[in-house]
Amino acid sequence: MPQLGNGGGDDLGANDEMIAFKDEGEQEEKIQENAFTERDLADLKSSLVNESEINQSPITAAVRRGQQSEERGYASDKQREHLDSVSKQQQQHQQDGGMYKTGAYPGYPFLMLPDPYLPNSSGSPSSNKVSVVQQSHGMHPLTSLLPYSNDPFSHSPPHLPTDMSQKTGVHRQPQDLSGYYSLPPGGVGQITPSMGWQSQYPALSSCGFRQTFSSNLPSSSSSYSRFPHSLMLGPSGMHPTGIPHPAIVPLQAQVEVKREKEPKKPVIKKPLNAFMLYMKEMRAKVIAECTLKESAAINQILGRRWHALTREEQAKYYELARKERQLHMQLYPTWSARDNYGKKKRRKREKQQDSSTDPGSPKKCRARFGLNQQTDWCGPCRWVHHCLYHSPTITTIPAVCHLHS
DNA sequence: CAACCTTTGAAGAGA
DNA sequence: TCTCTTCAAAGGTTG
């Protein structure tokens, strides 16, 4: 797995963010009460951490980029394979008399369906290790199905064809989508379903959606789609399962809006990266454990926990994120992250531009002070030592930071 | 009420 | 090629 070699991909290059841990101040104190085993975990895994830090050299960075390119190629190859295999599957299903009837969506369901290549895969919900985050929030399961939809459209089925044709006028071909959903054998069958778009599916069990899926799925295919698309939409524009793609604007909402005024242009959001998927999954757990509600503080804890994860644990999320991006690419081939640029107004950006005392990013500081990005770290906590601006309490470059000295 | 805060990672823009 | 910026989630806080 290419990203495994990265030890978390760009995570290794995220030194700047780690620095924030040491400058948290009041928030740090608050978090320390709840960090409990965080440091222990970090200590236990410091070897892993250090190993990953070593990989931060420019050379390895280049290698990493190469690996990422490799991965993209790998993904494309895999995708083609899946397209072929699933196309065959689809033909078979059509011969059987029903499109997707028996689970022609090998993709995301893999997260919750039995992996035929795993000995313990039973297809039972209990086989999933991870709990459903959204459920613990006490929200309706369906509401959490739409993280990608705009507010005005958050409660209705998607209208994918419209979405897709806006730019290019090209409607997505069913083969493309079906092929996308396929998974390589032994892919991420162990990945739990509570992450990302598909993370909502377990929460649907009470609504019968999941049973509907799994009951029709042959154990060998382990496939169905969590997303409706042009092919899967019924006459009402809704997938028979009733499960909309979270990244698209529901059709029903658009119809309602049309009655009042012109429909808003649907906004396709970015696919979630590995850490976002991890956060989404673990947020409720942290909230319950730490009795915190402020997302900023929770995210700090989650950031630490993320670093405390083993590579294998992180690999699950990187792999899932990769699948998410693949699926997103398939669903929205013309979409670009640039499409959403400027949709959020940023006061902070203006402040930063006005700030003349800002020494720049910690990375710049390290370069300015001649600190070695690989060695000038505190081993136990990975806090990098940089300039006095970013770390007022550190005047030298110790082997161990002020917290561990 | 919109933006901020806070995290990591992906992607785009620009030098 | 490298660096910087923006956005993705989330919900309390702030202006």
Side-chain angles (χ1 to χ4, degrees):
Chain A
M1 192 178 303
Q3 280 180 321
L4 293 180
N6 302 344
D10 286 345
D11 164 49
L12 297 177
N15 305 332
D16 300 351
E17 286 75 6
M18 288 186 292
I19 291 167
F21 293 156
K22 98 181 120 180
D23 295 327
E24 289 167 2
E26 300 175 0
Q27 214 166 26
E28 172 68 23
E29 297 177 2
K30 185 169 60 176
I31 291 172
Q32 277 181 343
E33 300 176 0
N34 305 306
F36 46 91
T37 58
E38 290 294 333
R39 186 147 301 156
D40 295 335
L41 282 172
D43 291 343
L44 287 172
K45 297 164 184 174
S46 60
S47 58
L48 286 170
V49 168
N50 292 335
E51 183 182 352
S52 66
E53 289 168 359
I54 293 173
N55 293 334
Q56 291 183 346
S57 66
I59 296 177
T60 53
V63 171
R64 199 162 56 232
R65 280 185 289 274
Q67 288 174 335
Q68 289 174 346
S69 300
E70 264 186 27
E71 183 193 4
R72 291 192 180 97
Y74 165 84
S76 300
D77 294 340
K78 286 293 180 181
Q79 202 165 299
R80 279 192 293 272
E81 291 177 15
H82 302 160
L83 284 171
D84 294 338
S85 63
V86 176
S87 181
K88 293 175 183 176
Q89 271 189 5
Q90 213 173 338
Q91 291 175 2
Q92 180 62 43
H93 291 316
Q94 288 173 350
Q95 289 174 359
D96 293 343
M99 184 182 301
Y100 303 111
K101 181 180 75 176
T102 56
Y105 316 94
Y108 282 80
F110 64 88
L111 297 169
M112 46 184 287
L113 293 176
D115 186 338
Y117 303 95
L118 292 178
N120 294 332
S121 59
S122 63
S124 166
S126 59
S127 64
N128 297 322
K129 294 190 297 183
V130 184
S131 61
V132 179
V133 172
Q134 301 293 352
Q135 283 179 323
S136 58
H137 284 282
M139 60 191 299
H140 191 283
L142 286 177
T143 62
S144 60
L145 282 169
L146 304 165
Y148 284 78
S149 60
N150 263 353
D151 289 343
F153 311 102
S154 295
H155 305 291
S156 339
H159 188 48
L160 187 57
T162 298
D163 167 41
M164 293 316 303
S165 60
Q166 278 193 346
K167 284 184 179 178
T168 62
V170 177
H171 289 268
R172 209 173 282 106
Q173 296 304 311
Q175 290 80 2
D176 296 337
L177 287 171
S178 60
Y180 177 76
Y181 291 104
S182 63
L183 257 191
V188 286
Q190 78 281 13
I191 295 179
T192 57
S194 58
M195 299 170 283
W197 305 335
Q198 70 284 10
S199 67
Q200 325 301 340
Y201 277 83
L204 295 174
S205 58
S206 61
C207 301
F209 289 132
R210 187 178 177 189
Q211 286 84 343
T212 301
F213 276 121
S214 56
S215 63
N216 289 335
L217 285 170
S219 59
S220 58
S221 66
S222 299
S223 58
Y224 72 86
S225 174
R226 51 183 189 159
F227 301 129
H229 50 70
S230 56
L231 264 190
M232 301 151 64
L233 296 177
S236 63
M238 187 76 174
H239 186 274
T241 63
I243 301 176
H245 192 297
I248 59 182
V249 174
L251 172 64
Q252 180 181 333
Q254 286 193 344
V255 172
E256 291 175 356
V257 171
K258 279 180 180 179
R259 294 172 184 172
E260 301 174 356
K261 48 186 176 181
E262 285 199 9
K264 289 184 180 179
K265 201 172 184 178
V267 175
I268 303 170
K269 296 199 173 185
K270 293 176 65 175
L272 303 187
N273 62 38
F275 179 70
M276 287 293 154
L277 294 172
Y278 172 76
M279 279 209 312
K280 200 163 187 172
E281 175 188 327
M282 300 300 295
R283 174 176 299 277
K285 188 179 178 182
V286 172
I287 291 174
E289 291 176 353
C290 305
T291 62
L292 284 174
K293 287 188 176 180
E294 192 177 354
S295 289
I298 293 169
N299 291 347
Q300 284 190 336
I301 295 174
L302 288 170
R304 293 187 180 189
R305 291 193 176 189
W306 173 255
H307 285 292
L309 291 179
T310 64
R311 290 191 171 193
E312 289 74 18
E313 291 169 328
Q314 285 187 350
K316 294 192 304 181
Y317 298 93
Y318 282 114
E319 180 68 12
L320 179 60
R322 187 177 68 86
K323 302 287 181 185
E324 294 282 346
R325 290 195 301 274
Q326 281 187 347
L327 178 60
H328 196 276
M329 210 183 315
Q330 284 293 120
L331 290 173
Y332 318 108
T334 61
W335 179 88
S336 168
R338 184 179 55 181
D339 296 351
N340 293 352
Y341 274 31
K343 293 189 182 299
K344 290 182 179 178
K345 296 177 182 177
R346 294 287 180 183
R347 300 173 187 161
K348 183 181 179 181
R349 179 171 41 189
E350 298 172 359
K351 288 180 182 177
Q352 287 177 343
Q353 287 174 347
D354 295 339
S355 175
S356 58
T357 57
D358 187 356
S361 67
K363 196 176 293 182
K364 279 186 174 179
C365 282
R366 289 195 292 275
R368 184 183 306 141
F369 284 77
L371 301 184
N372 188 317
Q373 304 221 4
Q374 301 174 40
T375 59
D376 293 335
W377 299 79
C378 168
C381 69
R382 300 185 67 211
W383 286 354
V384 70
H385 310 295
H386 44 104
C387 74
L388 296 180
Y389 180 90
H390 286 107
S391 182
T393 59
I394 299 177
T395 56
T396 59
I397 306 175
V400 177
C401 76
H402 61 294
L403 288 180
H404 290 94
S405 59

